[in-house]
Amino acid sequence: MQNRTPRIPQQPAPNRAEFDARFTVELGAVVTGARRRALRDGDRQIDTAHLLHSLIESDPEVRAAFEGGPQLAKVLGYLVQRSIGYGLRWQGAVEDSGAVPVVENPDSVVRDTGVEGWSPSAASAMAEASERAELRGGARAGGLDLLAALASDHECRAVEVLQRAGVDAEQLAALIVEASGQGWRGAGG
């Protein structure tokens, strides 16, 4: 009898206590969903497209940030294509927008984050989401903080998905910043 379970590369778990303390329970669920998606897709690391997909699926405030149903459906269409192996082909490549120095061994800890199993861009987006929360006076980062951080990184996979779906990522980030009163656009903006 053959084992029907596909071989999925193991992905190290992050330092949960420190990592989870910086995010809302809802954003923790997004991270869990992104990790599950990365494992299912056979990716060695969580990337920004995994985070965007999980954000849209689980956070109503994030869905409301888009211009409506057709735009959101198009973004989800690209993300679904990616997850079933069509469309955007990134599997096996480390995502790096230059926000964090690339690590030589992709299975090692991502510098400046202490989080294993994350692309440099995804780790940077999570760190920026925490910074955005602090700037708006929040104790923990939420979904809109992460969406703004993702949309601000012009070189990440999440922005590539947004652009292919016709979303102006820079404008999306600016609208979130304006609505939250942050007045800060991070490294990408």
Side-chain angles (χ1 to χ4, degrees):
M1 184 170 183
Q2 291 182 350
N3 183 357
R4 296 187 187 272
T5 305
R7 186 175 181 284
I8 299 174
Q10 292 296 321
Q11 189 178 66
N15 180 343
R16 301 243 5 144
E18 286 180 31
F19 190 68
D20 290 346
R22 300 183 306 184
F23 308 110
T24 61
V25 171
E26 295 81 10
L27 194 52
V30 167
V31 169
T32 299
R35 180 177 299 110
R36 187 173 36 251
R37 185 168 303 287
L39 287 171
R40 186 181 62 228
D41 292 351
D43 295 331
R44 293 189 314 192
Q45 297 179 327
I46 296 170
D47 67 26
T48 60
H50 295 124
L51 289 171
L52 178 63
H53 200 157
S54 189
L55 259 178
I56 289 172
E57 284 182 335
S58 63
D59 193 325
E61 286 184 322
V62 166
R63 289 190 298 272
F66 290 88
E67 291 178 359
Q71 185 183 61
L72 189 57
K74 199 167 182 183
V75 172
L76 277 171
Y78 279 106
L79 290 165
V80 168
Q81 285 179 4
R82 185 265 173 111
S83 71
I84 61 173
Y86 300 112
L88 304 172
R89 305 265 182 203
W90 294 314
Q91 190 171 4
V94 174
E95 174 187 36
D96 179 39
S97 66
V100 175
V102 178
V103 290
E104 302 215 2
N105 177 356
D107 293 326
S108 67
V109 174
V110 176
R111 287 186 218 148
D112 298 328
T113 65
V115 181
E116 296 178 46
W118 291 73
S119 75
S121 297
S124 177
M126 294 301 284
E128 186 176 324
S130 291
E131 291 173 22
R132 286 175 180 275
E134 288 176 25
L135 286 170
R136 68 171 166 71
R140 296 175 182 221
L144 288 176
D145 296 313
L146 180 55
L147 181 60
L150 291 170
S152 295
D153 184 349
H154 304 288
E155 302 296 323
C156 76
R157 292 176 180 171
V159 167
E160 185 177 341
V161 168
L162 293 172
Q163 289 172 336
R164 286 181 183 226
V167 176
D168 183 334
E170 191 171 314
Q171 181 182 14
L172 178 63
L175 289 172
I176 295 168
V177 168
E178 183 180 314
S180 67
Q182 291 173 340
W184 177 68
R185 297 179 197 278

